[in-house]
Amino acid sequence: VTHGFADDTLSFPKDFLFGTASSSYQIEGGWNEDGKGESIWDQWAHEHSDLIIDHSNGDVACNSYHKYKEDVQLLKSIGVNFYRFSLSWPRILPTGYPNVINQKGLDYYKNLIKELLANGIEPFVTLYHWDHPVIFESMGGWTNELMIEWITDYARIVFKELGPSVKYFVTINEPSDICSEAYFGTTKAPGKNLGYSAQYICMHNILKAHARIYHMYDTEFRKEQNGQVGFLISCLGLFPKNSSDTEAVNVFFQFNCGWMANPIFSNAGDYPTIMKERIADNSKLSGLPRSLMPTFTQKWVQYIKGAADFLALNHYTSRLVETVPRQDGQKWYDNCGIKASIDPSWPNSSSDWLKIVPDGFRMIIEKISNEYGYPPIFITENGVSNNCHTSDYSRVSYLQSYMKEMLTAINESGCKVKGYAVWSVLDNFEWDRGYTEQFGLVYVNFTDPNRTRTPKQSMNWYKHVIETRNLDVYEPSISTVIV
Ligand code: GBH
């Protein structure tokens, strides 16, 4: 339903692409079916259910392994142009290695892609959304440099088998989040708590792995398949806490976003200078013989630089930042000397880390565009958690206000945002938050063995946005969509 006057500033560019996003472990279930191998998330959720808030796991999740046809019909009824989903590495390669292919696992993805294409929906594939085979974690996971070879071998099988039907690939979901929460922190598998060093090594290996996969696609597949391979990062919106903190925004941006983006999208390549300097200083002050942050050789700097056809951005929320005064001979706060906090006036979601700050979305799209010469951008995740069942007006309002800021970045600042995906199509397994935080446009009843799906208000709202290619829609009516 449109009301008020038509407003051009609320219209999307003609070729703009709308989508939704999901990930394998969070929706598929079928954790040990048809020859699938074990992933670190299967293992983690089974062995550490105490670390998952509701002691749940993804054994069944949304059961999309069996219900993918119904999911595709939902996507079709929303009218999306693309669907971003991830592949489970051990479902395709149960031993992790490329010499044993699990045909049934591979067929699941072939069938899903076929079903999507038959319904006019472009598959947008994430190669890796955190669920690698356990064998590789036993050998150190992302702290082992050999992970670069292992994931490249896996990616080659994917390109060969699925690449002919896929135009969009991203490699590794949210490198900084997984390096910090899984190797430095303890909240995500494998929760190893190994300190700063492991966090930096993890990113070092991920950047190299991404570049290897990108160049492998270039030399072995691009000519025939003609797809695109993007690099995916998650970045916070940032605002100065005090008027004197404008430089803090830039420094924190480099640590939060530049850490991943600078090596690939900047002219010079490599990690941001400020980050290298502050970590080296801090390491020295800690009495270490060398920086906690590993260094790239010039050869690697050149190899990584430019290794992406587009920048994929996941964005949810923002932080206030302030410079922490440096005391003589003391270490910089959190290695970067900047403290991030939450403005108490920002509205809440169901996730403690996710405050609702629409203008942070515009800020980060513009900052990234400025910093890296206006690269093509896909928003690969944006969304909000609430537990409103199907009357999720707060999700409609979040999506509406965030998308409006994105449109301003496109229309007024010339940012090249090509597409946008809502996280997520279905309520799903939210990692350490189990099923307690719901991000779906579609409600899933997790106590029902059939995992019945029910459209929410937000799904109908999004359907209208896509239909009209305009944001001037406020009043979705649940009765207009029957699935
Ligand atoms: C995305 O990550 C994931 O890609 C997706 O799988 C997930 O379902 C979705 O978010 C919704 O959660 O403030 O210390 O508690 C978003 C990135 C996840 C990074 C939560 C920060 C909390 C850190 N964020 N995490 S903390």
Side-chain angles (χ1 to χ4, degrees):
V1 179
T2 307
H3 69 113
F5 298 101
D7 182 346
D8 275 355
T9 64
L10 296 178
S11 289
F12 286 89
K14 260 211 198 80
D15 51 357
F16 194 84
L17 300 171
F18 296 93
T20 62
S22 70
S23 95
S24 47
Y25 187 72
Q26 293 178 272
I27 65 162
E28 283 176 3
W31 79 278
N32 61 357
E33 281 182 56
D34 294 340
K36 178 180 166 295
E38 195 181 6
S39 83
I40 59 165
W41 268 95
D42 296 317
Q43 187 182 53
W44 178 257
H46 291 154
E47 289 175 8
H48 297 281
S49 65
D50 53 311
L51 297 178
I52 292 165
I53 192 163
D54 57 2
H55 311 299
S56 65
N57 57 52
D59 287 1
V60 180
C62 305
N63 200 15
S64 290
Y65 186 63
H66 295 289
K67 292 173 76 87
Y68 70 93
K69 287 193 176 170
E70 190 180 332
D71 293 347
V72 173
Q73 284 316 302
L74 276 166
L75 292 166
K76 190 184 182 187
S77 78
I78 303 172
V80 294
N81 305 107
F82 70 94
Y83 175 48
R84 175 179 170 234
F85 60 96
S86 82
L87 310 174
S88 158
W89 178 351
R91 193 181 293 290
I92 298 175
L93 305 178
T95 65
Y97 297 102
N99 57 335
V100 183
I101 296 181
N102 177 30
Q103 193 56 45
K104 283 187 173 166
L106 186 60
D107 284 346
Y108 169 66
Y109 296 114
K110 286 195 167 167
N111 291 334
L112 171 60
I113 289 169
K114 220 199 266 160
E115 191 75 9
L116 287 166
L117 290 171
N119 286 280
I121 301 164
E122 203 65 62
F124 190 121
V125 172
T126 311
L127 290 176
Y128 169 80
H129 200 121
W130 307 346
D131 49 351
H132 55 270
V134 288
I135 177 85
F136 298 132
E137 197 51 52
S138 307
M139 296 189 278
W142 284 111
T143 62
N144 186 340
E145 239 191 313
L146 284 172
M147 201 58 179
I148 302 163
E149 310 305 322
W150 298 327
I151 197 170
T152 305
D153 291 342
Y154 154 66
R156 181 179 288 107
I157 301 283
V158 171
F159 291 148
K160 180 167 174 276
E161 297 287 340
L162 307 176
S165 327
V166 178
K167 290 285 158 264
Y168 301 100
F169 283 102
V170 284
T171 52
I172 294 149
N173 185 65
E174 298 188 347
S176 61
D177 295 289
I178 206 57
C179 290
S180 60
E181 289 178 48
Y183 291 96
F184 184 101
T186 56
T187 52
K188 295 210 162 70
K192 281 183 167 167
N193 195 17
L194 300 172
Y196 282 115
S197 177
Q199 177 180 330
Y200 299 139
I201 291 168
C202 165
M203 181 63 78
H204 210 63
N205 290 330
I206 284 182
L207 284 161
K208 286 177 166 179
H210 166 81
R212 280 289 308 275
I213 294 169
Y214 181 82
H215 289 296
M216 184 263 288
Y217 186 80
D218 245 13
T219 51
E220 299 174 35
F221 299 98
R222 187 183 293 279
K223 228 180 121 210
E224 278 156 48
Q225 300 188 357
N226 202 26
Q228 298 185 38
V229 180
F231 183 59
L232 190 152
I233 60 180
S234 65
C235 302
L236 292 161
L238 301 170
F239 297 97
K241 178 151 189 208
N242 309 296
S243 53
S244 58
D245 284 317
T246 49
E247 186 49 24
V249 168
N250 187 52
V251 175
F252 195 87
F253 169 84
Q254 298 303 344
F255 273 76
N256 177 249
C257 199
W259 182 26
M260 300 171 274
N262 210 77
I264 292 179
F265 297 102
S266 71
N267 285 330
D270 202 354
Y271 295 119
T273 307
I274 185 95
M275 196 176 180
K276 288 194 289 185
E277 282 173 3
R278 291 204 175 178
I279 295 170
D281 274 9
N282 211 34
S283 307
K284 211 168 163 187
L285 285 168
S286 307
L288 291 166
R290 70 189 70 80
S291 177
L292 283 164
M293 193 183 213
T295 49
F296 287 122
T297 61
Q298 260 315 301
K299 230 176 144 183
W300 271 108
V301 169
Q302 296 310 320
Y303 187 76
I304 292 169
K305 200 177 76 176
D309 300 314
F310 60 90
L311 186 151
L313 174 66
N314 289 3
H315 173 82
Y316 291 86
T317 192
S318 292
R319 293 291 182 265
L320 297 177
V321 289
E322 66 191 300
T323 302
V324 178
R326 186 178 196 175
Q327 283 164 8
D328 255 1
Q330 298 273 298
K331 293 189 281 178
W332 278 102
Y333 183 88
D334 201 24
N335 283 343
C336 78
I338 310 293
K339 187 177 167 189
S341 60
I342 285 163
D343 186 328
S345 75
W346 290 340
N348 288 319
S349 68
S350 292
S351 311
D352 52 6
W353 57 274
L354 202 174
K355 304 298 169 186
I356 301 170
V357 195
D359 53 341
F361 197 17
R362 175 180 180 185
M363 176 274 161
I364 194 63
I365 292 171
E366 293 183 353
K367 175 77 175 159
I368 286 172
S369 299
N370 266 312
E371 197 79 9
Y372 308 118
Y374 291 77
I377 296 174
F378 267 93
I379 305 302
T380 35
E381 286 181 32
N382 175 241
V384 71
S385 55
N386 60 40
N387 297 351
C388 304
H389 198 259
T390 55
S391 304
D392 60 338
Y393 294 104
S394 65
R395 177 166 294 102
V396 171
S397 129
Y398 175 102
L399 295 174
Q400 212 269 351
S401 60
Y402 270 66
M403 288 172 91
K404 202 170 159 187
E405 294 289 336
M406 171 181 71
L407 266 182
T408 310
I410 298 171
N411 293 333
E412 284 181 27
S413 311
C415 299
K416 300 204 182 91
V417 185
K418 303 291 178 195
Y420 169 93
V422 175
W423 182 276
S424 184
V425 58
L426 302 174
D427 291 341
N428 61 51
F429 178 76
E430 264 301 321
W431 309 114
D432 51 308
R433 314 305 296 176
Y435 296 97
T436 65
E437 294 177 11
Q438 288 133 32
F439 281 81
L441 298 170
V442 175
Y443 174 81
V444 178
N445 184 348
F446 290 103
T447 58
D448 173 354
N450 195 32
R451 296 301 189 270
T452 305
R453 284 108 160 100
T454 311
K456 302 183 189 179
Q457 297 281 9
S458 59
M459 171 178 143
N460 296 313
W461 174 84
Y462 193 40
K463 176 186 159 79
H464 285 290
V465 170
I466 298 173
E467 236 165 48
T468 58
R469 307 186 68 78
N470 191 290
L471 274 179
D472 194 16
V473 266
Y474 281 97
E475 298 167 273
S477 148
I478 196 79
S479 59
T480 56
V481 175
I482 295 141
V483 178

